[in-house]
Each structure stands twice: as structure tokens, then as C-alpha cells.
Amino acid sequence: MTQENKTQEEMPKAYEPASVEAKWYKHWLEKEYFKPQIDPDKKPFVIIMPPPNVTGELHVGHALTATLEDIMIRWHRMMGEPTLWLPGVDHSGIAAQVVVERKLAKEGLDRHELGREKFLERMWQWAESCRGTIGKQHQRLGVSCDWSRETFTLDKGPSKAVRTFFYNLYKKGLIYRGERIINWCPRCSTALSDLEVNHQDLTGNLYYVRYHLADDKNECITVATTRPETILGDTAVAVNPEDDRFKALIGKKVVLPIIKRQIEIVADEAVDTVFGTGAVKITPAHDPVDFDVAQRQDLPLINILNKDATMNENAGKYKGMERFECRKAILKDLEEDGLLVKTEPYAHAVGHCQRCHTIIEPIASHQWFVKMQPLAEPAIEAVTGGKIKIIPQRFNKVYLNWMENIRDWCISRQLWWGHRIPVWYCNKCGELTVSVEDATTCQSCGSTDIQQDPDVLDTWFSSGLWPHSTLGWPDDTEDLRYFYPTSVMETAYDILFFWVARMIMMGIENTGEIPFRTVYLHGLIRDEKGEKMSKTRGNVLDPLDFLEKYGTDALRFALISGTSPGNDSKLTTTKFEAGRNFANKLWNATRFVLRSAADYKGDMLIKQENLMLEDRWILSRLNATITSASRLLKDYQFGEAQRQVHDFLWGEYCDWYIELAKTRLNSASVESSPLPVLINVLEKSLRLLHPFMPFVTEELWQNIKASLPEDEHFADSIMISAYPKADKKATDSEAEKAIDALIDIVRAIRNARAEHNVEASRKIDAQIYAAGLNSFISPYAGAIQTLAKAKVVFIKDKKEQVIENALVLVLKDSEIVIPMASMVDIDAEKQRLQKEIDAMQAEVKRLEKTLSNEAFVSKAPKAVVDKEKGRLLSARDNLGRLEEHLKNL
RNA sequence: GGGCGGUUAGCUCAGUUGGUUAGAGCGCUGCGUUGACAUCGCAGAGGUCAGAGGUUCAAAUCCUCUACCGCCCACCA
């Protein structure tokens, strides 16, 4: 250390995240470290970020996504792989439109008054402002993604991808327009896919209604329904053809109550003979099962609802009524006519709009659909064949179950915000034109009198293309060739079907390759009570609040700690505190190391011949931690990896190594100084921790760098430095054994002091006999004196032990004798010894039993048997010594 | 109706090829102002790993069943 070291002098006593974070994020951006270094000879590591919705600000779920992905990205980047993390934002069709519509409603407006064009202007304003906010929030989280590639789903590239995909599927016959039962949200006034409907069990009623036969007013058939208003749309009554009760009635006509329309009794297998009355009213326009029956039986469809779920002209006198008002009115009328046989309470699942929670209505409607089965087949094969790995594995089953039972996907939405369907209808010949470019003429007749389909596509139709559309598809771009297929798709398990499954299908369809090799699914973050966060519950946590209070690194630490793949986790303030405290601990440890380094005159290279036992120990422990953390990162065990690095730094480096190093700082010559190891281990540990806590590690690492002489081995930033690699040569079992024994000794003496209420300032005496380890540990008499406040004498021979009136501590590899003189009362000590003897006897017994078990000795691996044998020997030995000491007391 | 997950210390949770005395954070008890850190240090208490059965030399870990909690999927009107 020849230069002046001002840095550490300026380090304040506590870590202050705010200034550090802004400084380094800016630096990283300026140096363009987030951009991938393309190298054709290296396989890149690629994550396409799940694009947040433009529905507001980021929440803690986004923060978790950002953290997990940033950990992977930073780790791989430090491993020297060309690393791309591509950020983006989703226009999020219906969800965003609902948000803006609500804002309009507050102004007393609705989108129809505004008109499509003006409304879309408002949407764009909103989306742009969200995009800005989301970007800023992401930066505060420290995400190291390539902002130069940031993409919005409505950008030119993704839009072209959407149209191209639509066009291709249409040409292949996999996209078609047809009349089917779809889920209609009266509030949003649009069709929804099956996935966008949440089923909720509600207790309603099952109403039994009597329909009289047309030709015999005395005879009737009774049907059961939960939605009596749909009677107005009935076009048949169905019974099971095998049902003897109704066989005679098949083909006869009944008269619908109230509107008096005559409908036929038909036979259809879909009818369950044991449910309800065994006779079902058929409302083909408002029930998927009835729709199918109608197709088979060639029944007419009568739609009774307007778009807003009021009754239409087919409802006769109920026209204009709101649907549930109508239900009440019909029930009243039925009752008056004596046709309501009975009413019983009935719990059944009712569909609600995922976005606005309005009860959805099944309605027969002309919509665009994707035929899914042909797309699902290769997507199933990709997972069963192991080309795509899902973590945790249990989601394979969930994924496959959904894929194998997939149904056609309704993709048209009667919204304004989104990708407009690339279809034009000809007003002259009635034919349609599907085109990637905007069409100007009809493909069939050449007429220019054409108009584009007013609807837009399901937002997931574009999200599903995300991994390849962001990289340039359908164009053959360099990015697409180099970065696709991507490496990991990291997202929450609740969008497995919405998004992940569709990306797999679409990716394979469009590129012939899987979109990503690994799917990592994280769990949901819940509040302190374990409740799912939602705006209506009002328990949504804003990550920015925590950022400001505890710092980004603490937030990231909190989000990851105690989590495992696919499992939900609770976010509690104690986790934030733990993260903040850890950052602060590192801060102070570094402060100490650098302060010590300022007085040190040698260089920082570790010289093998100068190493003391504790140096070898901490190097060995560091290496073990690197090995383990690397393995855990590779296995996506981020919570556990973080914990192990944390435990090493706090529990081994700070608690023991620094404390041991202090004992030789003052007296040490340059050769025997702990500084090289102190600083090297810290520097390497910071790199090990960097993916988890990027800011504090960068700041401390830079401080270390500044305190050292110019060194070309140090990169400009920790984030582009090499991730530590395990080195088998660093493993040192001799040093680990000796230092473990030393730690045992210190702990035992401290424990004895505490147990016997020795004053803190008082030094006690201790004789230590460390058998085979004596030569290793005896040099540490001074260290023990400092750490355990005991004057230590090492004895070579047990015979030298003076055990009269003394406390004897029997450890694994050593024995400590502490003269009782002023410390202890004998009875208490006898009791303590007896307790230990009991425990040791139990241990001996257990081991004897294990080892006398021939099956164990013959079947268990030799290493395990030997280990047990060794333990028995040492337990017997300890027991003997304990018993002897008790006798001598 | 199918499927999945959870049940481990007072609380929140780790514990991934079955192998020492089951761990962490927080909380609790006692002690502590020696210049890294009170956002700290030292010591301690606290668990028949939901219950029952099974496989194994060996089970928190694998299998079966049961109980409770939670989630997902599903067109019985």
C-alpha cells in the first residue's frame, strides 16, 4: 500500500443505498454493460423479459420477476457468456382499455362518445406514460437489461409478426371465422376466451319449470334451470333417448310458458338422466351444451340478449329489461301462471370477467377462432420429449393436461385497443381479404369498396409471439439467428396457459424451433397474512416504498430469501430488515478491512508459504461456498444459493475470520499479515454475491479496488468481472478440522463463562489439551485469550492436567480444564457433567446398536460405516473421560 | 368431478440424488459501550419434521392411506 487511501476514510458508518444505487446504475448504462457482447463462437444466454402490462405501476410481483431474471443474467454475464436480457411492455388489450375507460367514466365520458380515434389517442397517452414509469421503476430495481432493444407489443415489428402469423394460420386453415358460443362480457362488451373467465362458486337457485304439451293441456314435462330468463330463447326440450320416462314424449311439442312458442321434445345423449328432472330446456344461443345439441338436432338459435345484457326484441314483453331484472319478472310470471314447480338452493360455478368481474353470458356469436389441436401436438412433444424443461417439474402435468384437452381459441375482441384484425370485407362481393399489408382492394373482385374488420385480437395473440417477434421475426435478422431459441422463460405460474403454453405453440409453428429451453416458474407473493395481493383488497405493495426505505439490495434480498421454485411466499418487513442489515454488515466489514489495509505495507498477493491455518480455513470455506452456490444457481435454487453466500460472509468470514485476523493485525510482519487473505476473500465474496445484491457489492468492490495499487486484473466494474470459480486445490480438510476445533474451544469457554455468570471483564484460566491437534492449536493461545477472555496454557500430556476443583469441558478433539476457583459451585458442575454423561451414553448406545446391525455393516457404503465406527470410538472415549472427571470432582 | 401444493422451532420459511446432533431470519431469555458493525456482538431456551401404516441397514426426504388448509382445471342444465 503505497498510495494514499482516502476512500475508506470517507466511508460513513452505515450503508446509504440511495446515492450508491443511482451512481452505479448510471455508470453501467453509460458503459453499455447491459448490451450483449456478440461472439459467434459462444452460445449466448438469453432471457426475454415478460412484458408488464400498461395498466399502472409495477408491483412486487414484477419486482420478483426482475430480481430473479437479473440474478440469472448477471451470473451468466459474469461467467463470460454473451448475455441478452430483452425488456418490453405489453399493450395488454382489455386490461388497459378497462383502466382508461374507468378514467373516462370519472370524467363522465365513455369511449363511444369519444369515438374510436379520440379514444385511441387517450390510450396511447396512457400507455406511453406507463411505459415511462415502468422503465424508471425497473431501473431502480437494478435490472441489467438491454434498453436499446426495448419493445412494445404495438411496435411495428411485433405488429408485422402478428399479421404474418394471422395470415399464415388463415392460409393453413387454422384460423377461421364462425358462429360459436363465446363468453360475452356485457360490461366490456366483448367476447372473451375461456381462460379469461374466472369461475366462482355462487349459491343461486335451481328452478323447476313446467312446460305443457301442446296437444294435451293436462300433460306436461318439467325442466330445471338456473337461468329462467333463458326460457325466452328455448327452441327445444331434450331428453335422453334411453330414458323410459320420456320415450313416449319424444317428437311431441310443448308450449313455452309466457311467450307461448311451440317447441319440440328431442332425444339427445348429452342429457343426464339422473340430474334435475331428466329433461333439459335447450337454449342454443345461450349455452354451449345446448348449442351442440342444436347443431345435432338442427334446431334454430334465438338470441335474446343485447350487447349490454339487456333483453332484446326476442324477449317479447321483457324487451329492454336488464337480465337479472328479467329473471325476477319471469319468475313472478311463472309463479302466477302456476308453472314454477319448485325452487331449490343450488351452488354452481358462475363465470366472471377476469378484468372487470362482471358475470359473463354465453352467447352464440360470429367470431374468429384458432384451431388449436394441430398447434398443441408439437408443443406437447416439446415437453414430453424433454426439449423444454419446466421448473419445478410438477407443472409438466398441469401443462400437459391443459394441452391435451385444448379447445379452439376465440381471438377476436370487440375492443379498440390492440392489433386490429388484418381482414377486409368487400361490400360488393361479400368476400374477405386477409393481408399482412393494409389491403386497398378486394382480392376476389378487385373492388375498392372494402372495410377492415372492426375488431382487435386477443392481447395474448401477440404476447405468444414475443420470444421471436422481439428478435425480428418474420424477418431473418441477425438477432433471431443468434439469440433464438432463448435460454430461460422466467414467469409466474399463473400465466402458464395464457402465455407460456401459447409461446411454445406459436414459437414452434413460426420458427420450427422451441422458443426457450427452460421454463422457470416462480410463485406468487402474498402479503403478511398470506392473502393474494389485489387492488380491490387494497393490499398491493409498491416496491418503490421498500426501495426507498431499505434500499434496492435489501428489497431484492427480501424477495428471494426463503423462496423455492413454484411456491408462493409471504413478504414481511423482517425480511427487508434482514436484507438491509446484511448490506450494512458487509459495508462495515469492508470498512474494517480497508482501514486495516491502510496501515499495511506489503502487497495483496496471497503467498502460499505465508498462510496460517485460519487463512487456509477461510480459503477452503470460500471455495466450498463457491462450489455450492454455483451448483444451486445452476439448479435455479436462488433462495438457497443466496442463503449460503449470506451465511458464509456473516457467519464465517465476519464472525470468525475477521475476529481471528484482528488478533494478529498489530503484531504481524508483512509476511504474516492476514491482509492479503482478508482482502482477497472479501473481494471474491463480493463477486459471488453480486448477482443478488448488485449495488452494495459494486460500491464495496470499487472501494477495495481504489485502495489497491493499479492492477490490471481488476475490471472497470464488478458486473463485468469473472464470477468466482471453484478450485479443488483450495479445499483444506486439515485446516478446517483444526479451525473447527479452535472454534469449538472458544465457544465452550464462552459458554462456560456465560453459564457460570462470569463477569464480562474478568479473565479466567484454562488448560487445553488438544491431543492430536495440539501442535495446530497451541499457537492460538493468544487468539483464544482475546476471543474467549481466558488465559490459556496448552498441555502436551493428559497427566499434566490439574483437574481438582476444576471445570472440565470435553470436546470432540480437545479437552478444556478451567480451575473453578472463583467461578463455579461444585454441585452445579456435577449436575452438568451428569447431563453430558447421559447424553453421551445415549449416543454410544445408538451407535453400538447401529454397528451391531449386520445388515448395516454389510449393506451401507463403507465410508458411512467407517464414519459411524469413528464416531463410536470418539463417543466411548468422551464418555470415559467425562465419567472420570465426575469421579474426581 | 379431476388434478396439484402445503402441514418442519413462538412467527415466516429453507432443507433436490434417503446417511452425523433437522437449519436460517425474526421473536424470546441472559450478558455486553475494548474504534468494522447496537442495522451489532456473545451465550442460551425452543422441534416425537400433521397423523397412521409400509419400503430400507438407515426416512423430514420414497410409497399408501387419513385429517385439515390453499390453489388450478372442468359445458351437469
Side-chain angles (χ1 to χ4, degrees):
Chain A
M1 278 329 281
T2 48
Q3 75 206 72
E4 245 186 305
N5 301 304
K6 282 189 180 151
T7 321
Q8 69 275 13
E9 298 300 331
E10 287 161 7
M11 281 177 79
K13 207 166 173 181
Y15 173 51
E16 291 155 10
S19 58
V20 168
E21 290 168 7
K23 176 177 69 182
W24 290 116
Y25 200 83
K26 192 166 159 245
H27 180 80
W28 296 333
L29 270 180
E30 278 168 7
K31 295 278 185 169
E32 303 201 329
Y33 292 146
F34 300 162
K35 287 193 180 176
Q37 303 293 312
I38 295 176
D39 178 345
D41 298 329
K42 283 185 181 169
K43 195 175 161 189
F45 181 78
V46 184
I47 295 179
I48 307 293
M49 185 191 288
N53 289 346
V54 286
T55 48
E57 311 205 330
L58 295 187
H59 52 69
V60 284
H62 294 114
L64 176 62
T65 297
T67 301
L68 286 165
E69 291 173 21
D70 198 43
I71 288 171
M72 287 189 251
I73 288 290
R74 285 180 186 270
W75 176 51
H76 282 274
R77 190 186 287 121
M78 290 176 81
M79 298 280 278
E81 298 166 38
T83 300
L84 171 65
W85 188 14
L86 193 153
V89 181
D90 197 306
H91 71 280
S92 52
I94 187 165
Q97 185 166 322
V98 166
V99 171
V100 173
E101 279 177 332
R102 281 195 186 130
K103 291 168 91 76
L104 286 178
K106 279 186 189 155
E107 301 168 26
L109 288 168
D110 76 50
R111 65 168 156 127
H112 299 284
E113 290 172 49
L114 222 53
R116 188 162 190 149
E117 207 175 310
K118 280 253 157 54
F119 179 75
L120 285 177
E121 261 173 42
R122 289 287 298 255
M123 287 299 314
W124 275 103
Q125 273 172 22
W126 167 253
E128 287 303 332
S129 93
C130 278
R131 240 180 122 170
T133 312
I134 287 167
K136 279 191 199 111
Q137 287 184 303
H138 263 142
Q139 302 205 347
R140 295 282 315 264
L141 288 164
V143 298
S144 59
C145 56
D146 182 358
W147 291 108
S148 71
R149 284 180 168 84
E150 196 232 10
T151 310
F152 185 49
T153 43
L154 292 179
D155 284 350
K156 216 172 148 198
S159 298
K160 183 177 170 191
V162 164
R163 284 194 173 189
T164 305
F165 179 53
F166 188 98
Y167 179 84
N168 291 347
L169 282 196
Y170 179 76
K171 289 292 163 197
K172 281 175 119 175
L174 294 180
I175 280 186
Y176 62 91
R177 193 172 126 94
E179 188 177 35
R180 298 277 182 286
I181 295 279
I182 47 83
N183 306 291
W184 183 263
C185 173
R187 209 293 319 166
C188 299
S189 193
T190 182
L192 300 173
S193 69
D194 296 335
L195 281 177
E196 289 165 301
V197 176
N198 292 334
H199 292 277
Q200 213 181 326
D201 261 347
L202 292 183
T203 312
N205 289 311
L206 189 57
Y207 304 97
Y208 290 76
V209 182
R210 187 181 293 140
Y211 292 4
H212 284 291
L213 289 195
D215 55 2
D216 183 351
K217 291 235 162 74
N218 296 320
E219 269 212 71
C220 67
I221 189 162
T222 302
V223 298
T225 180
T226 54
R227 295 181 295 156
E229 69 279 12
T230 61
I231 286 171
L232 303 171
D234 282 3
T235 57
V237 169
V239 297
N240 192 292
E242 303 303 315
D243 194 334
D244 290 335
R245 293 175 295 178
F246 302 117
K247 270 186 179 163
L249 296 175
I250 293 168
K252 293 201 169 169
K253 296 238 156 123
V254 293
V255 181
L256 272 180
I258 302 160
I259 51 168
K260 310 292 181 205
R261 187 166 62 233
Q262 291 201 4
I263 57 175
E264 195 178 319
I265 297 174
V266 298
D268 196 282
E269 276 97 15
V271 181
D272 184 347
T273 55
V274 296
F275 186 86
T277 61
V280 189
K281 59 189 276 308
I282 299 298
T283 321
H286 297 285
D287 185 282
V289 177
D290 294 4
F291 183 86
D292 291 346
V293 173
Q295 299 287 100
R296 284 194 291 271
Q297 309 289 341
D298 200 22
L299 300 169
L301 269 62
I302 298 177
N303 188 332
I304 57 167
L305 287 173
N306 292 314
K307 284 182 179 174
D308 60 356
T310 57
M311 309 308 291
N312 68 16
E313 60 283 358
N314 291 326
K317 67 171 185 174
Y318 305 103
K319 183 186 168 193
M321 269 186 159
E322 194 274 332
R323 54 185 161 159
F324 300 117
E325 289 302 311
C326 176
R327 181 176 299 176
K328 279 185 208 156
I330 287 210
L331 284 168
K332 190 164 162 261
D333 292 345
L334 287 172
E335 194 138 38
E336 277 168 12
D337 293 350
L339 296 174
L340 186 60
V341 181
K342 64 172 173 176
T343 301
E344 53 189 36
Y346 183 65
H348 63 302
V350 177
H352 293 71
C353 173
Q354 184 197 29
R355 293 301 171 188
C356 74
H357 312 111
T358 304
I359 292 181
I360 65 106
E361 287 292 335
I363 296 182
S365 168
H366 286 281
Q367 301 286 346
W368 287 93
F369 295 88
V370 181
K371 210 170 178 178
M372 298 305 282
Q373 215 176 322
L375 298 176
E377 273 161 27
I380 289 169
E381 165 58 26
V383 169
T384 52
K387 273 161 85 183
I388 295 178
K389 201 172 147 200
I390 303 180
I391 295 166
Q393 209 186 355
R394 65 171 186 272
F395 283 102
N396 274 5
K397 215 171 160 180
V398 182
Y399 169 88
L400 291 172
N401 179 54
W402 187 76
M403 277 288 188
E404 281 158 5
N405 297 295
I406 201 156
R407 289 186 291 152
D408 286 1
W409 175 17
C410 174
I411 51 169
S412 43
R413 297 287 177 276
Q414 289 63 54
L415 305 169
W416 291 345
W417 178 240
H419 295 103
R420 191 125 169 220
I421 293 176
V423 173
W424 286 260
Y425 302 99
C426 180
N427 291 329
K428 201 168 153 216
C429 73
E431 290 297 308
L432 56 82
T433 299
V434 178
S435 169
V436 173
E437 303 299 328
D438 281 353
T440 50
T441 56
C442 170
Q443 269 177 2
S444 298
C445 70
S447 164
T448 53
D449 185 12
I450 58 172
Q451 62 191 63
Q452 190 174 5
D453 193 305
D455 293 350
V456 300
L457 291 160
D458 183 354
T459 196
W460 298 103
F461 189 87
S462 59
S463 324
L465 305 170
W466 206 232
H468 54 285
S469 70
T470 49
L471 293 173
W473 188 90
D475 298 334
D476 180 24
T477 63
E478 201 185 322
D479 270 8
L480 190 64
R481 281 195 300 268
Y482 187 61
F483 293 118
Y484 192 88
T486 68
S487 311
V488 180
M489 175 46 62
E490 190 281 336
T491 192
Y493 64 73
D494 62 347
I495 51 173
L496 180 60
F497 306 141
F498 277 110
W499 196 41
V500 178
R502 283 159 178 171
M503 280 190 287
I504 296 174
M505 291 187 278
M506 294 181 178
I508 295 174
E509 169 66 21
N510 286 342
T511 70
E513 286 187 89
I514 53 169
F516 29 72
R517 298 183 188 88
T518 301
V519 175
Y520 176 90
L521 298 170
H522 66 249
L524 275 28
I525 297 184
R526 295 167 183 282
D527 69 5
E528 306 221 5
K529 289 179 212 139
E531 302 247 14
K532 200 169 168 173
M533 290 183 197
S534 73
K535 280 184 188 156
T536 43
R537 278 200 190 87
N539 61 349
V540 180
L541 298 177
D542 183 350
L544 285 194
D545 293 346
F546 297 102
L547 275 180
E548 264 142 38
K549 196 160 175 207
Y550 300 98
T552 297
D553 291 324
L555 169 67
R556 292 170 57 125
F557 181 92
L559 287 167
I560 299 303
S561 76
T563 63
S564 49
N567 291 330
D568 294 353
S569 59
K570 283 176 207 171
L571 199 53
T572 57
T573 47
T574 58
K575 283 190 183 176
F576 292 110
E577 284 160 7
R580 178 200 57 189
N581 294 355
F582 183 42
N584 191 60
K585 183 76 177 176
L586 295 174
W587 182 265
N588 281 293
T590 305
R591 215 157 66 96
F592 168 76
V593 170
L594 295 186
R595 187 182 290 183
S596 310
D599 305 328
Y600 171 70
K601 303 282 185 274
D603 63 38
M604 288 301 168
L605 292 177
I606 293 178
K607 294 185 189 68
Q608 211 61 34
E609 66 273 17
N610 289 345
L611 294 184
M612 315 232 343
L613 267 179
E614 69 268 34
D615 300 329
R616 287 160 53 195
W617 169 77
I618 197 68
L619 289 167
S620 179
R621 294 304 308 144
L622 170 64
N623 187 60
T625 307
I626 292 170
T627 306
S628 182
S630 300
R631 200 206 86 228
L632 289 164
L633 280 169
K634 199 167 141 273
D635 290 345
Y636 301 88
Q637 308 288 326
F638 305 106
E640 183 65 7
Q642 177 179 264
R643 209 203 94 226
Q644 293 205 7
V645 177
H646 166 273
D647 288 358
F648 167 76
L649 270 161
W650 198 314
E652 296 187 290
Y653 182 75
C654 290
D655 286 352
W656 290 101
Y657 186 70
I658 287 186
E659 293 307 319
L660 280 167
K662 277 179 186 172
T663 66
R664 58 179 166 121
L665 268 180
N666 293 332
S667 56
S669 62
V670 165
E671 288 72 36
S672 64
S673 170
L675 250 304
V677 174
L678 208 44
I679 212 157
N680 272 287
V681 171
L682 179 60
E683 188 273 328
K684 232 179 193 178
S685 304
L686 289 173
R687 276 188 273 143
L688 194 60
L689 182 66
H690 179 258
F692 303 92
M693 302 177 89
F695 291 112
V696 70
T697 51
E698 176 77 294
E699 175 71 10
L700 296 175
W701 190 85
Q702 294 287 351
N703 284 357
I704 290 173
K705 186 180 156 191
S707 78
L708 294 176
E710 284 294 318
D711 185 346
E712 70 274 19
H713 298 304
F714 273 81
D716 171 69
S717 161
I718 191 173
M719 70 166 284
I720 52 160
S721 304
Y723 203 68
K725 279 205 176 67
D727 172 16
K728 274 186 187 162
K729 287 196 298 276
T731 304
D732 191 332
S733 52
E734 185 180 73
E736 290 210 23
K737 195 174 180 205
I739 298 298
D740 283 349
L742 175 65
I743 290 172
D744 271 357
I745 289 168
V746 171
R747 284 206 167 123
I749 298 173
R750 284 171 173 172
N751 173 267
R753 296 177 57 104
E755 295 275 291
H756 295 101
N757 300 316
V758 178
E759 299 159 59
S761 54
R762 176 179 189 147
K763 259 192 191 123
I764 62 170
D765 292 322
Q767 308 163 16
I768 296 175
Y769 168 71
L773 293 174
N774 237 352
S775 62
F776 290 114
I777 298 179
S778 53
Y780 289 89
I784 295 168
Q785 176 157 331
T786 308
L787 297 175
K789 296 203 181 105
K791 251 183 233 160
V792 173
V793 178
F794 274 86
I795 53 178
K796 288 199 181 107
D797 194 326
K798 275 199 79 172
K799 284 175 196 155
E800 297 171 30
Q801 278 185 345
V802 183
I803 51 178
E804 255 172 69
N805 238 341
L807 177 87
V808 181
L809 307 171
V810 176
L811 308 179
K812 200 167 140 230
D813 296 303
S814 59
E815 210 161 288
I816 305 168
V817 179
I818 301 173
M820 305 286 281
S822 57
M823 203 167 91
V824 171
D825 75 273
I826 303 292
D827 283 341
E829 179 56 14
K830 275 185 179 167
Q831 272 178 30
R832 187 189 65 82
L833 271 178
Q834 189 57 54
K835 220 171 133 188
E836 284 206 33
I837 287 169
D838 292 346
M840 201 53 72
Q841 270 170 346
E843 172 80 352
V844 168
K845 233 180 187 172
R846 192 184 65 77
L847 287 164
E848 280 173 348
K849 198 180 150 199
T850 304
L851 285 163
S852 64
N853 181 343
E854 292 209 5
F856 172 73
V857 177
S858 60
K859 287 192 184 176
K862 192 169 177 295
V864 175
V865 177
D866 287 347
K867 217 172 180 183
E868 296 291 300
K869 276 183 183 165
R871 289 177 57 214
L872 178 59
L873 284 178
S874 110
R876 276 180 178 152
D877 179 51
N878 284 358
L879 182 60
R881 288 186 282 150
L882 284 165
E883 281 169 339
E884 204 188 322
H885 291 312
L886 182 62
K887 248 192 285 170
N888 286 332
L889 259 186

